[in-house]
Amino acid sequence: MGNSKMIRSALLVALCLLAGFGGAAAFAWSGLGDRQVEKYLLANPDLLPRMVQAYERQQAEQKLSSAGADLREPFAGAVLGNPAGTRTLIKFTDYNCGYCRASSAEVAKLVAQDPDLKVIIREWPIFEGSERVASMALAAAKQGKYSAFHSAVFAGGDTSEAGLKAAAQASGVDFDQAVKDAGDPQIAYELARNTAMAQELGFTGTPSWVIGDTILEGAVPAEALSEALSNSGQSGTS
């Protein structure tokens, strides 16, 4: 982004935060907003990152509020780590997403480090062929084997029928029963609900994350996730 565009973006954020969106529009339309705010921000450049962070935090809070309490209520059994943990990480994921597969190892690191961490997995099948494996994963949750199946699918890297059978065998899942359960309307509803929540939060792909009032997208290393958890104000061990 060029300097002029950066200044324009900063001005817009500043106007919105300082004058409110309605007032900012009128003020900016007159041309006075640009000149006065630009002069002030150029004299106090350290304010820009703080204002942008405040704006992003405000936007995240509004999106999370729109998504509702359902966001933090997992599908029964679709949790990694400690189901009763007081520190919560929410991950929107797809088994055919390479970044999701890589991030599963980062999540495993966090779970190993923090016995109080609950990781809510929201199955969001956006790649071709992913709805089948997502349904099978939730069917595995009905057998109390979600975590094992989830890890086995990512470890195997094969979401074909043969790959699902191998993951089921490795995780102790009754494959035939899982096939039956995968057609449960409750599972179809869960996948549709996850899609609606992801859209409400403005996610553009997987993996995507929610930690407290923070929204993150893309491959995020364990260290950055741990820092976000520590900054989220959630109780528990770190």
Side-chain angles (χ1 to χ4, degrees):
M1 180 183 293
N3 288 337
S4 61
K5 290 184 178 179
M6 184 178 297
I7 290 174
R8 292 289 300 180
S9 297
L11 287 171
L12 177 59
V13 172
L15 286 167
C16 289
L17 290 174
L18 293 176
F21 286 94
F27 198 44
W29 184 260
S30 69
L32 295 173
D34 277 1
R35 291 194 297 274
Q36 294 183 16
V37 176
E38 179 178 359
K39 181 179 179 181
Y40 181 78
L41 291 178
L42 288 175
N44 300 273
D46 58 308
L47 291 177
L48 294 178
R50 290 162 51 195
M51 297 183 77
V52 170
Q53 287 173 7
Y55 178 74
E56 291 176 343
R57 185 166 56 251
Q58 180 188 67
Q59 292 298 295
E61 290 173 355
Q62 290 175 354
K63 290 178 181 179
L64 290 169
S65 177
S66 297
D70 284 352
L71 175 66
R72 304 182 193 280
E73 289 296 325
F75 183 88
V79 173
L80 309 180
N82 183 355
T86 60
R87 286 157 58 84
T88 303
L89 167 66
I90 303 171
K91 179 185 180 185
F92 285 74
T93 188
D94 184 307
Y95 291 102
N96 284 312
C97 164
Y99 290 116
C100 295
R101 182 182 181 190
S103 69
S104 66
E106 300 301 292
V107 171
K109 290 180 187 177
L110 291 177
V111 169
Q113 294 167 2
D114 188 351
D116 199 36
L117 179 63
K118 173 171 65 176
V119 182
I120 296 174
I121 301 295
R122 307 235 72 105
E123 298 285 354
W124 185 26
I126 57 176
F127 287 83
E128 184 176 354
S130 293
E131 187 168 346
R132 166 70 168 166
V133 62
S135 298
M136 287 293 287
L138 295 178
K142 288 179 171 289
Q143 298 181 33
K145 302 290 180 65
Y146 179 83
S147 180
F149 185 81
H150 175 88
S151 299
V153 173
F154 274 130
D158 182 1
T159 59
S160 68
E161 198 70 5
L164 295 181
K165 288 181 178 179
Q169 183 175 11
S171 57
V173 168
D174 182 328
F175 183 79
D176 292 335
Q177 184 61 49
V179 169
K180 293 178 182 178
D181 289 338
D184 189 330
Q186 181 187 23
I187 287 179
Y189 173 76
E190 172 68 7
L191 298 182
R193 185 175 71 149
N194 289 346
T195 296
M197 284 191 285
Q199 292 173 344
E200 190 73 43
L201 291 168
F203 292 151
T204 58
T206 54
S208 292
W209 319 79
V210 177
I211 304 173
D213 292 331
T214 299
I215 291 174
L216 300 171
E217 291 192 75
V220 182
E223 294 75 14
L225 293 173
S226 180
E227 181 179 0
L229 281 163
S230 296
N231 294 334
S232 67
Q234 300 181 70
S235 61
T237 59
S238 57

